[in-house]
Amino acid sequence: MAAPLKMLCSSALRQTVRPFSSTCATYAGKKWRLENGLAWTGSEYGPLTDLPDWSFADGRPAPPLKGQIRRQKQREEFARRAVYLNAEVDQGMETWRAKKEEEERAKEQLKSSMLKPKGNLLLKNKK
């Protein structure tokens, strides 16, 4: 009787152990969504996440849910950051252009202040 109990326990233990897998998780339809310009998961944005779950019978909209408010704040923060970084890049480009123009002006001024040929060399250069 002891032997079958031991076999029974070991087979039960084998069934309860979780298998280990080193493969990465793939989301169903991820490739199709990315090819069609959608989010890589189905729950990042879209009508199921952005629209309210219900509304009142008389047509009034439901109050926004916590997740909707959180996502709206994240999007606003992202938009502000994008505008800020864009302005920073524009300012950097203007500074770069001004620096290049100043270098060009300095080069021209250096050329104009150089000694000029006199005598026979001046006559040869005019021809």
Side-chain angles (χ1 to χ4, degrees), residues 20-70:
F20 178 75
S21 175
S22 64
T23 60
C24 59
T26 57
Y27 295 98
K30 175 182 173 182
K31 182 179 177 185
W32 179 86
R33 283 192 295 271
L34 289 175
E35 288 173 354
N36 290 300
L38 301 171
W40 68 285
T41 64
S43 63
E44 284 186 14
Y45 57 84
L48 294 178
T49 55
D50 295 336
L51 296 178
D53 293 336
W54 57 276
S55 63
F56 291 101
D58 61 359
R60 290 180 295 150
L65 301 173
K66 289 180 185 178
Q68 291 171 331
I69 294 170
R70 178 182 43 83

Side-chain angles (χ1 to χ4, degrees), residues 58-89:
D58 61 359
R60 290 180 295 150
L65 301 173
K66 289 180 185 178
Q68 291 171 331
I69 294 170
R70 178 182 43 83
R71 283 188 294 275
Q72 184 179 11
K73 285 181 182 177
Q74 284 177 341
R75 289 178 186 140
E76 287 173 1
E77 182 181 325
F78 181 76
R80 279 192 196 98
R81 179 123 174 97
V83 169
Y84 171 76
L85 291 175
N86 191 20
E88 198 172 276
V89 167

Side-chain angles (χ1 to χ4, degrees), residues 102-114:
E102 183 62 36
E103 287 176 2
E104 289 294 321
R105 267 191 253 120
K107 230 184 242 186
E108 290 296 322
Q109 186 177 1
L110 183 65
K111 278 186 182 179
S112 66
S113 67
M114 293 176 90

